[in-house]
Amino acid sequence: LKLISMLRYAAKKNIPFLNHHRLLSTMAKPTAIFLNCTRLDYDRKLNFDKLAEIVDFHRNDTDYVTDPKELVQLVTDSKAEIVITKEMKVPAECVQEFPSSVKLLCEAGTGYNNIPIPAAQAKGITVCNIPTYSTEAVAHMAITYVMNLSINMFEQQAMLQKGDRSNFTGPFTLPLMELGDKTIGLVGGGGMIGSKVADIALALGMNVIISSRRGKLPDDHRLATHPKVKVVSDLDHLLTESDYVSLHTPLNDQTRGSFGRAQLTKMKPTAYLINTSRGAVCNEEELIACLKEGVIAGAGLDVTATEPAPMDSELWDLPNVWLSPHIGWRRLETRQRLVDMTCDNIKAYCEAKSPKDYINVVS
């Protein structure tokens, strides 16, 4: 054990110590624990073999570890060097109690707002994420809402489930609209997911407005000179012109609760809000009030401020709200890609000669 410790120290410090990477690969693997593996592998269809080749892999089969004491105990008992989580809050006090063995904390996803970065830094723990695994899947989710809302598909199905077949037997009662020349506004749309939404919307013949603090995209951005793409620094312009407003902002101190009544009242009364980013970007109380008042036509929400929304939340029952349980990233292929890219992060860490060789570091 002492030799292994010396070899690993040499590897991390870039100290020549025989052929430490070769020796490590044959003598020891770092231990990794996935604290809420069921959140990702809920159907047991994912393949973790690639990860098991480079670490001693432990999976805790639960969707969420809610008890802080249990969380710390799981990490401590496993003697993990690498801790993996998926969309699970890790309290700062838990990180402070992690054993000294923990060196890498991997968020198996894009958003890392559930990870206390300062607490991890104070413990010397590197934090990494997976920024690109679900770009197309989440973009497809946003467009799925747009396409369904444009033909009132959700409402048609709701009528059938109530036994109402009047749209089949008599005059059609619901509004239907083409997407060609309609406008989609992408709040934070200059990023990877927003840009992919723009690509698909353009293919459908839509106009695109992207909000950006700079009021323009980088010169080398593929949409920078597109004739049907407008980039604005004034969010109000996007809100007043758009038939669909889609949120694509990360959740941080600046964006938390930033989309509420002040923004909703600037939208067209016929417009729809779509959120596939983070639920807490919306001021949910103000959103519910505006939806009840008919300020906008409705909202398609793949995310809510807390997930799931509280059982007494009015979001469940509002007739102009359509909810999905944060499924933008849950397609089988997307989840397997996430496993593989998490493995890439961990492999880069294990083989690194210095911290500069780590990838997707956020701390």
Side-chain angles (χ1 to χ4, degrees):
L1 289 176
K2 186 174 181 180
L3 174 60
I4 293 171
S5 177
M6 292 170 65
L7 289 167
R8 300 196 72 183
Y9 178 82
K12 295 300 176 189
K13 296 297 183 180
N14 197 22
I15 300 171
F17 193 89
L18 302 176
N19 191 340
H20 48 253
H21 290 305
R22 181 180 61 80
L23 285 171
L24 280 173
S25 67
T26 57
M27 295 179 63
K29 296 178 181 179
T31 297
I33 183 169
F34 198 147
L35 288 175
N36 61 326
C37 196
T38 304
R39 179 77 172 169
L40 181 60
D41 192 23
Y42 53 83
D43 53 3
R44 287 281 187 165
K45 291 185 176 180
L46 300 183
N47 188 325
F48 290 88
D49 289 351
K50 183 178 174 183
L51 186 58
E53 288 178 3
I54 59 174
V55 297
D56 178 13
F57 181 54
H58 297 236
R59 54 181 293 160
N60 184 45
D61 285 313
T62 188
D63 187 70
Y64 208 104
V65 180
T66 57
D67 183 355
K69 290 184 179 179
E70 180 187 2
L71 193 158
V72 173
Q73 195 64 50
L74 284 165
V75 175
T76 302
D77 289 350
S78 68
K79 299 179 182 178
E81 180 174 341
I82 300 160
V83 176
I84 308 168
T85 62
K86 174 61 179 171
E87 295 177 349
M88 188 184 84
K89 183 174 178 58
V90 181
E93 56 268 26
C94 290
V95 173
Q96 291 165 1
E97 294 183 34
F98 279 178
S100 58
S101 62
V102 179
K103 300 299 180 186
L104 184 67
L105 181 52
C106 292
E107 168 58 36
T110 301
Y112 49 90
N113 50 287
N114 287 320
I115 306 296
I117 301 297
Q121 290 175 329
K123 287 279 290 188
I125 299 172
T126 299
V127 180
C128 64
N129 73 332
I130 314 295
T132 60
Y133 80 100
S134 63
T135 300
E136 290 199 359
V138 176
H140 292 171
M141 186 71 196
I143 292 294
T144 296
Y145 266 117
V146 170
M147 297 184 75
N148 278 280
L149 292 169
S150 72
I151 56 171
N152 259 297
M153 182 65 77
F154 299 126
E155 186 61 25
Q156 290 187 58
Q157 293 304 308
M159 291 174 68
L160 286 175
Q161 289 169 5
K162 294 175 184 176
D164 183 351
R165 302 175 184 175
S166 59
N167 283 328
F168 290 81
T169 60
F172 200 83
T173 59
L174 298 171
L176 307 175
M177 65 191 76
E178 294 183 351
L179 291 176
D181 284 331
K182 296 298 187 294
T183 298
I184 184 168
L186 306 176
V187 181
M192 288 179 288
I193 294 175
S195 297
K196 180 56 68 173
V197 173
D199 289 338
I200 304 170
L202 290 167
L204 294 172
M206 301 183 76
N207 302 306
V208 175
I209 303 177
I210 295 173
S211 67
S212 167
R213 291 179 182 178
R214 297 175 58 198
K216 67 174 187 175
L217 296 174
D219 293 340
D220 59 350
H221 195 289
R222 64 181 180 276
L223 300 174
T225 59
H226 197 288
K228 298 194 73 170
V229 176
K230 183 189 298 184
V231 184
V232 299
S233 58
D234 180 11
L235 180 60
D236 288 357
H237 178 82
L238 178 151
L239 297 173
T240 58
E241 294 294 321
S242 298
D243 300 295
Y244 303 88
V245 173
S246 187
L247 304 183
H248 299 282
T249 55
L251 179 62
N252 52 44
D253 291 340
Q254 289 71 44
T255 63
R256 186 179 298 274
S258 62
F259 202 94
R261 179 176 288 275
Q263 291 72 39
L264 291 162
T265 52
K266 292 182 174 68
M267 292 171 59
K268 298 177 182 180
T270 55
Y272 292 94
L273 175 69
I274 297 164
N275 190 5
T276 57
S277 59
R278 287 292 183 266
V281 169
C282 287
N283 182 319
E284 211 158 86
E285 183 177 338
E286 294 181 5
L287 173 61
I288 290 171
C290 288
L291 288 165
K292 290 171 68 176
E293 296 166 18
V295 172
I296 60 173
L301 307 175
D302 190 44
V303 290
T304 50
T306 59
E307 295 180 0
M311 291 299 106
D312 60 353
S313 172
E314 293 181 87
L315 288 175
W316 296 107
D317 299 314
L318 285 175
N320 56 348
V321 173
W322 298 273
L323 299 173
S324 50
H326 202 163
I327 58 174
W329 60 271
R330 291 182 193 255
R331 292 170 174 84
L332 176 61
E333 299 88 348
T334 312
R335 290 182 290 126
Q336 186 60 57
R337 186 182 306 115
L338 177 54
V339 170
D340 295 342
M341 295 177 80
T342 298
C343 181
D344 291 341
N345 278 2
I346 293 172
K347 184 177 181 182
Y349 163 81
C350 292
E351 295 180 351
K353 295 182 179 180
S354 79
K356 292 181 180 179
D357 297 326
Y358 301 163
I359 59 175
N360 296 320
V361 174
V362 298
S363 65

